Amino acid sequence: MSKQSKGGNVTGTVRDLVEPYAKELGLELWDVRFVKEGAEHYLRIFIDRPEGVSIDDCVNLTHAIDAPLDRADPIPVSYTLEVSSPGLERTLSREEHFLRYLGAPVKIRLVRPMDGERDFKATLDNYDNGMITVTTEDGRSFSFGKKEASYVKLDDFDS
């Protein structure tokens, strides 16, 4: 049987369980995703730290959380655990991500086209209660709900 947490879902339960271990190792728990790809399930835990994430950081957290995850058994199916950095083009998914990167260049893919376009490069201007406001490279400003975006990722306009 799966145990649930404040989020009422697997990722919330795992986040609650893993976060203290990450903090103890000097890591920030960036995101937790539980996905099915083909017939396989993956529990992906993304960690960060100001000076960057090393392979040792990933290994150390994996070792620290392996037994607690087994004991808590929050996932009722067989899965592969992956611990990694969110990368340079990290996906912004939580309120604290958006607030941290106000003013940063982002790439956006909307679920439905807006003015005939789904993909934008823009500057993140504001995040308020699930509403994201950006200014595109050509100066257009618009807002959309977080749920209206397939993703919002950090970007570098020069690349």
Side-chain angles (χ1 to χ4, degrees):
M1 168 140 18
S2 152
K3 296 179 178 103
Q4 303 298 307
S5 76
K6 61 185 172 189
N9 59 35
V10 166
T11 57
T13 301
V14 171
R15 175 176 279 283
D16 291 347
L17 183 85
V18 170
E19 198 151 32
Y21 294 95
K23 283 182 180 176
E24 187 175 303
L25 293 170
L27 303 167
E28 174 190 356
L29 183 57
W30 180 264
D31 204 2
V32 175
R33 296 186 196 143
F34 182 63
V35 296
K36 183 176 182 188
E37 294 177 359
E40 304 296 318
H41 289 85
Y42 296 90
L43 176 60
R44 295 191 172 125
I45 297 174
F46 297 94
I47 56 174
D48 200 15
R49 68 172 4 153
E51 62 274 14
V53 174
S54 71
I55 291 174
D56 288 340
D57 293 326
C58 297
V59 169
N60 291 339
L61 184 62
T62 300
H63 289 152
I65 65 174
D66 197 36
L69 276 173
D70 284 347
R71 279 192 303 276
D73 195 23
I75 301 172
V77 296
S78 178
Y79 64 91
T80 300
L81 173 64
E82 297 177 347
V83 177
S84 67
S85 161
L88 293 175
E89 288 189 351
R90 60 193 59 207
T91 299
L92 306 180
S93 59
R94 302 175 58 80
E95 179 178 23
E96 59 264 26
H97 299 162
F98 289 97
L99 296 176
R100 178 186 298 177
Y101 288 103
L102 291 176
V106 292
K107 291 193 300 190
I108 303 155
R109 170 163 288 162
L110 297 176
V111 174
R112 288 178 203 79
M114 180 181 291
D115 298 329
E117 294 181 70
R118 281 183 38 171
D119 297 309
F120 298 89
K121 287 189 173 194
T123 299
L124 180 59
D125 295 327
N126 194 26
Y127 182 86
D128 184 26
N129 200 27
M131 288 300 294
I132 301 164
T133 303
V134 298
T135 302
T136 61
E137 291 176 296
D138 61 7
R140 294 177 291 153
S141 182
F142 66 94
S143 297
F144 56 93
K146 187 173 119 177
K147 291 182 180 180
E148 296 175 56
S150 295
Y151 63 74
V152 178
K153 297 180 178 183
L154 288 184
D155 188 29
D156 177 1
F157 285 161
D158 297 329
S159 60

